[in-house]
Every structure is written in structure tokens, then in C-alpha cells.
Amino acid sequence: MMRTRQMCAVLGAAVLTATVAACGSGGSAGGSASAAGASAASTGGGVPSTGGASSGGRSSSTGGASSVGGGVALQVARTGLGSVVVGPDGHTVYLFGKDVKDSGKSSCSGPCLGYWPPVTVTSTPRTIGISGTVGTITTDGKKQLTLDGWPLYYYVGDASAGDVKGQGNTGFGGVWRAMMPNGADITSGGAAATGSGGGGGGGKGGYGSY
């Protein structure tokens, strides 16, 4: 009877040991599985953060960028004279009162071109907001733009876009005037300069000794 109890005790201890070992092994496997799952979740969570959503946002933000000056020869801008015709960089363009409309030539040459450079193009001009007729003539070997038959010029005294310092200038024997989108010249605004010098003051030669 005693021996039977001893054998049962030994068998019970063996079973308990096997059970504990099995539980420990299961726990280790479960821990490994949990770690693997966490690793997979971490890896999986990193994919969206570097995927197309972020780069797509950059693409849409930069892809929509555009420049009105690209290929545009003439457009319209608000200035102190109202809405006037300007070049692609926003500088005011002018007609020269000494020119003859629809004559196909410019009366500004030599030193005059140094102060009143022609508005030139190298290809078919594209315009925005211009209702007058746009054409070209050849001046100093270049294609100069015209608006309703008037050759167009910039004024070197206009340092910034929207400046209209050339308005009313009488340098080189004619009055210089900004133009409206329909091709009409603006006769108001600006103090007409007198004598051979132009108005505007300052800058190249003071604009007073043509």
C-alpha cells in the first residue's frame, strides 16, 4: 500500500513537471507570436506614411502652379491711370505721338530707343484681356508689337511693374501715352514734360538730356 502511494506521488510529480514545461513552451511561443504581430503592425503602419498620399499632395500643389507671363506678350493691369496695357512683366507700354498710326514704321530711333525700348516678340504674340488689334512691324531689326496700328514702347524710367512715369512725357518730339485694352490712348494723368528732356526725373541721365 505504501509503495503504491509512493508510485502515485512520483507519477503525479512527473505529470506536473510535464504540464509546467508545456505551459512554459506555449507562453514562449505566444510571446514570439505577439512580438511578430507587433513587428508586422509596425511595418504595415509605416507604408501609408511614405506612400502615394504624401507625394501626391506635393504633385498636386506644384503641378497646378502656372505663370501668366509665360508666352504672354500683352496683358492688362490696374495702375494709377486705371486699366492699362502692360508687358509680360507688368511694365506699362506706351505709344509715341510722333508715330503715324498704321504707317508700319517707328519714328523712334537712335538715342530715343535707349530711353523708349520697343516692345518686341520673337514668335506669334499671345495676349490676355486685349480687345484692340495686335500686330507687328520691324524696328531696328526686331519685331515690334503694335496695338491698333500704334508701335508700342516701354519707358526706362518705369522701374517697377505698374509704374506710369512715362505718361505725358514729350521727349523726342512727341507725347508718350499709356494705352487702354481697346487700343485707345490715355490722354489724362501725368504731367507733360516740356523742352527736349523727358519727364520722370532721376535714373539714366536724369531723363532730362535726350
Side-chain angles (χ1 to χ4, degrees):
M1 186 69 175
M2 181 65 70
R3 182 175 296 178
T4 300
R5 289 179 179 176
Q6 290 176 344
M7 290 179 65
C8 288
V10 170
L11 288 173
V15 170
L16 180 60
T17 302
T19 302
V20 171
C23 290
S25 176
S28 177
S32 297
S34 298
S39 176
S42 175
T43 303
V47 173
S49 66
T50 57
S54 176
S55 62
R58 289 194 301 271
S59 177
S60 62
S61 65
T62 57
S66 62
S67 173
V68 71
V72 176
L74 296 175
Q75 52 191 330
V76 182
R78 292 286 301 177
T79 69
L81 299 175
S83 294
V84 304
V85 180
V86 299
D89 57 359
H91 282 75
T92 305
V93 303
Y94 301 86
L95 65 74
F96 183 25
K98 191 176 179 179
D99 285 338
V100 178
K101 181 179 179 179
D102 295 321
S103 67
K105 62 181 182 180
S106 167
S107 299
C108 181
S109 60
C112 176
L113 295 175
Y115 290 91
W116 300 91
V119 181
T120 60
V121 293
T122 56
S123 59
T124 302
R126 185 165 70 90
T127 64
I128 297 177
I130 307 298
S131 57
T133 302
V134 177
T136 60
I137 61 173
T138 301
T139 300
D140 201 27
K142 300 178 181 178
K143 293 175 66 175
Q144 180 178 8
L145 281 179
T146 63
L147 182 57
D148 268 19
W150 291 100
L152 301 179
Y153 309 83
Y154 293 116
Y155 180 46
V156 294
D158 289 344
S160 303
D163 283 353
V164 287
K165 296 176 182 177
Q167 177 70 5
N169 192 305
T170 58
F172 298 102
V175 180
W176 300 83
R177 295 193 179 99
M179 301 189 73
M180 292 186 283
N182 64 1
D185 59 318
I186 298 176
T187 58
S188 62
T194 58
S196 60
K204 184 177 179 181
Y207 300 107
S209 56
Y210 288 164

